[in-house]
Amino acid sequence: MDFYLGLAQVIGVHTLLGLSAYCVLLTGQVSLAQAAFFAVGAYVAAILTVIFKWHLFAALGVSAVVSGLTACAVGFPALRVKGLMLVVATLAFGEAVRLFFFNFTYQIQAGELKIGPHGAEGFRQIRYFPEHGWSTFDVLMFIWLMVAIVMACLWWLDQSRAGAVMRAVGEDEVAAHSSGINVTAVKVLAMTIGGVIAGIGGGIFAHYTTHIEHVQFGVILATFAIAYPILGGLSNVFGTLLAVIFIQGFLIEGLRFLGDWRNLLFGALIVLAMNLRPRGFLDAGGVASLKRMLFAGKESSGA
Amino acid sequence: MLDLQGIAKHFGGVHAVDGVDLTVKRGEILGLIGPNGSGKSTIVNLVSGLFPLTSGRILFEGDDISDLPSHARVGLGIARTFQNIRLFGQLSVWQNLWVAQNSRQQRQEVFFKRWFGGSAGVQAEIERTLEFFDLAHKRHELAANLSFGEQRRLEFARAISARPNLLLLDEPAAGMNAEEVDQLDARIRKMRDDGFTVLLIEHHVELVMSVADRIAVLNFGRKIAEGPPAAVQDDAAVREAYLGTR
Ligand SMILES: Nc1ncnc2c1ncn2[C@@H]1O[C@H](COP(=O)(O)OP(=O)(O)OP(=O)(O)O)[C@@H](O)[C@H]1O
Ligand SMILES: [Mg+2]
């Protein structure tokens, strides 16, 4: 049972990470910096609850803001480059952040122990949940509540004009510019929203794992982050959720018995999935046929 | 309304536009013609701000707009279409128009309403535009799934959605059949009657000759003639430019 609770937690947190990349990808940006924003959120939130004894919710709020500001600051210079150059630039930024935490030590004495992040050893003893009497189940509920809130917000954004404008920028920047859209502002804003979401995800991650260190926030995590929305499709937020369940639940856990062969199959399955559904699991066509199945006969409404 | 003063654009050694003076007067339809590669699209790209000028300046309503970014020019009232259609293919027809509502008046709407609400006024405006371009029955269709003629109409409609004063149309009739060209002709006239100013680039000689009030002719990035359609048609330099390149 604990195994499934743990898996459900991983899926929830990775969904937040995937949604942060989804938001950026809507504007056509492939960013490998999402794991870095996630790391910033994790360290900030953990420092606030452990060292400053803040309430978790306040700490998550601040980690969201700090990650968002970091993303905004990255957005301005990074978005001057496009396509592959952006991938490289955000990758470099992500590595820089990881190395920063590799060297980052900020500890205080608490009784016998020293607490706080300690360079390469990482940040241990993030014990907010057990100290405040949260059960594993409570934590799980909290994670999925946050996932639900973020998904609802993004869903609403998607339906709004702002969402359509983001997609327009992702489709064709020149046409968007010539239709009066401030492309730079839209891209930086998307990056900022992505940073906020990643910050929340990272903050939660730090507290349920209780121990964070720089290696957790490397290229692998950044690749996962962007793989979720690419594999899931950009039609709506549920694609990303499906992709996380597929990758974390099926590929990583379900195929663990294969040992080293898993990684091989892992790559092959993703390639296969992308070939079968080049626009992701949930593309516009897929959504339309789902709607037809669910609401057979009824006219679909909405713009 | 629009004043091009000695504008030039060089791509490396290619002098795509090489010192052109041109004035578009309020309320007129100015036809811009010329052989392939004579710099017509480049002029539209310069006026809409896709890339910077090599030299010269562009005045709109008396103000120098040479250094403004594209989106700001749309806000001032300059909208365009593309020679090779550029729609937001994965957005619906309706969304394509919604996204393009970026005029000065539309910008004054309350922030929240503008970005997250769909006010009744906005919806009605989109519906009117869809009616005018005969696209109302396609409003939920993805732009990428439209036929070629419909895509051309949608692009025209999208340009109108920002309530521009000046419209730059880059070969709107390209690839259209005779019936569609007639409809386009009627729509452009209607636009002028509604107070739009139009810079019309066109290879379709009949169309330009019939709707344009004045015509300017480009060849190798320079203006070689300008005047009423009949006069331009008889101009010796124009005849030579066309015959010489064919
Ligand atoms: N972005 C660019 N980079 C390099 N050269 C360009 C660019 N855009 C246009 N040119 C060149 O500038 C010249 C003028 O091109 P332009 O597209 O303005 O011609 P046009 O009059 O619109 O022709 P057409 O009737 O074929 O549309 C051409 O020689 C073209 O190759
Ligand atoms: Mg052209």
Side-chain angles (χ1 to χ4, degrees):
Chain A
M1 190 61 204
D2 272 357
F3 167 77
Y4 289 104
L5 288 183
L7 181 58
Q9 288 180 339
V10 172
I11 291 178
V13 167
H14 276 248
T15 302
L16 290 175
L17 182 64
L19 290 175
S20 85
Y22 170 88
C23 189
V24 178
L25 200 59
L26 277 187
T27 61
Q29 314 301 298
V30 175
S31 154
L32 285 179
Q34 303 311 113
F37 306 143
F38 192 76
V40 169
Y43 274 88
V44 168
I47 286 172
L48 289 176
T49 61
V50 172
I51 297 182
F52 296 98
K53 305 288 178 225
W54 281 30
H55 191 280
L56 177 68
F57 296 169
L60 284 181
V62 172
S63 69
V65 171
V66 174
S67 283
L69 290 178
T70 313
C72 181
V74 171
F76 275 104
L79 299 182
R80 298 207 172 277
V81 293
K82 285 184 191 150
L84 212 51
M85 290 309 295
L86 177 69
V87 174
V88 174
T90 50
L91 179 67
F93 170 77
E95 275 302 283
V97 168
R98 187 182 66 73
L99 287 173
F100 171 79
F101 287 121
F102 177 70
N103 291 300
F104 179 60
T105 299
Y106 174 62
Q107 290 200 302
I108 59 163
Q109 199 71 37
E112 307 279 273
L113 295 166
K114 280 195 148 186
I115 53 171
H118 186 58
E121 275 177 36
F123 190 166
R124 292 169 193 279
Q125 305 286 330
I126 305 168
R127 300 185 46 80
Y128 184 91
F129 286 138
E131 276 169 11
H132 290 77
W134 291 52
S135 71
T136 314
F137 186 73
D138 294 338
V139 174
L140 182 64
M141 285 298 113
F142 176 63
I143 291 176
W144 280 93
L145 180 70
M146 293 309 289
V147 172
I149 292 173
V150 169
M151 279 178 84
C153 290
L154 282 181
W155 175 269
W156 174 71
L157 181 75
D158 249 349
Q159 306 301 314
S160 72
R161 177 166 180 274
V165 166
M166 283 167 68
R167 285 171 187 275
V169 169
E171 289 263 332
D172 187 335
E173 276 183 31
V174 171
H177 235 125
S178 303
S179 300
I181 297 168
N182 185 341
V183 172
T184 313
V186 170
K187 289 205 281 190
V188 171
L189 206 67
M191 200 73 154
T192 307
I193 298 173
V196 167
I197 298 172
I200 296 173
I204 297 176
F205 171 77
H207 287 86
Y208 86 74
T209 51
T210 71
H211 166 209
I212 52 178
E213 56 180 315
H214 70 102
V215 286
Q216 292 165 316
F217 307 105
V219 183
I220 305 264
L221 190 68
T223 313
F224 271 125
I226 199 73
Y228 297 137
I230 290 178
L231 192 62
L234 290 180
S235 221
N236 63 53
V237 289
F238 292 105
T240 301
L241 176 63
L242 280 184
V244 176
I245 294 173
F246 175 70
I247 291 182
Q248 290 296 331
F250 177 66
L251 289 187
I252 297 206
E253 292 304 332
L255 303 180
R256 202 178 276 286
F257 67 93
L258 289 174
D260 285 346
W261 289 97
R262 184 181 62 171
N263 290 337
L264 199 67
L265 199 63
F266 183 75
L269 274 172
I270 288 185
V271 170
L272 183 70
M274 291 312 296
N275 270 296
L276 291 177
R277 299 205 71 89
R279 280 180 184 279
F281 290 155
L282 276 186
D283 60 1
V287 171
S289 47
L290 257 180
K291 268 192 193 153
R292 270 198 298 280
M293 267 161 55
L294 292 174
F295 311 104
K298 269 186 265 174
E299 243 285 11
S300 69
S301 59
Chain B
M1 166 168 258
L2 180 72
D3 258 309
L4 309 182
Q5 300 183 341
I7 63 167
K9 180 72 196 177
H10 300 169
F11 296 105
V14 180
H15 295 192
V17 174
D18 206 10
V20 170
D21 294 297
L22 193 65
T23 301
V24 186
K25 296 182 202 130
R26 181 179 300 279
E28 77 171 344
I29 298 178
L30 178 68
L32 184 59
I33 63 172
N36 288 110
S38 55
K40 307 181 295 291
S41 296
T42 304
I43 287 189
V44 172
N45 290 339
L46 289 171
V47 174
S48 68
L50 239 51
F51 32 61
L53 292 160
T54 303
S55 63
R57 42 183 217 151
I58 300 173
L59 302 185
F60 182 65
E61 318 253 38
D63 297 322
D64 190 341
I65 59 164
S66 312
D67 295 325
L68 285 184
S70 269
H71 62 89
R73 300 188 194 194
V74 179
L76 290 180
I78 304 176
R80 67 168 294 176
T81 64
F82 291 88
Q83 182 170 353
N84 47 340
I85 309 172
R86 301 186 83 138
L87 291 167
F88 307 121
Q90 295 301 309
L91 296 188
S92 70
V93 167
W94 209 89
Q95 285 175 315
N96 266 272
L97 303 191
W98 201 19
V99 156
Q101 295 189 322
N102 290 301
S103 70
R104 237 175 314 177
Q105 300 98 299
Q106 288 157 338
R107 275 172 200 278
Q108 276 162 8
E109 255 188 68
V110 184
F111 176 86
F112 193 82
K113 242 172 90 182
R114 174 171 148 69
W115 289 97
F116 300 104
S119 70
V122 162
Q123 303 212 1
E125 188 175 340
I126 294 179
E127 290 302 330
R128 271 200 307 279
T129 312
L130 287 175
E131 281 308 325
F132 183 64
F133 287 95
D134 193 19
L135 286 167
H137 57 295
K138 297 276 182 178
R139 59 167 72 77
H140 297 307
E141 195 70 59
L142 291 186
N145 296 343
L146 297 181
S147 72
F148 183 80
E150 288 164 346
Q151 292 197 350
R152 279 248 181 260
R153 296 208 301 274
L154 178 56
E155 217 200 13
F156 198 164
R158 185 180 66 187
I160 298 291
S161 293
R163 300 192 206 161
N165 309 320
L166 173 65
L167 259 174
L168 313 170
L169 302 177
D170 197 351
E171 303 204 19
M176 283 187 164
N177 62 33
E179 192 193 334
E180 287 169 328
V181 172
D182 283 345
Q183 291 172 352
L184 177 67
D185 186 315
R187 285 203 179 92
I188 296 178
R189 285 167 195 277
K190 176 79 170 49
M191 309 259 70
R192 177 184 44 196
D193 297 343
D194 289 351
F196 287 92
T197 307
V198 181
L199 177 63
L200 173 66
I201 292 181
E202 199 40 81
H203 268 311
H204 199 284
V205 178
E206 250 171 78
L207 177 68
V208 216
M209 291 297 164
S210 106
V211 303
D213 301 309
R214 284 190 309 133
I215 288 183
V217 188
L218 285 184
N219 196 23
F220 294 116
R222 292 172 184 276
K223 187 172 79 181
I224 55 170
E226 186 177 0
V232 166
Q233 220 167 0
D234 295 333
D235 189 290
V238 175
R239 289 184 166 268
E240 198 193 312
Y242 271 94
L243 295 175
T245 50
R246 280 198 185 153

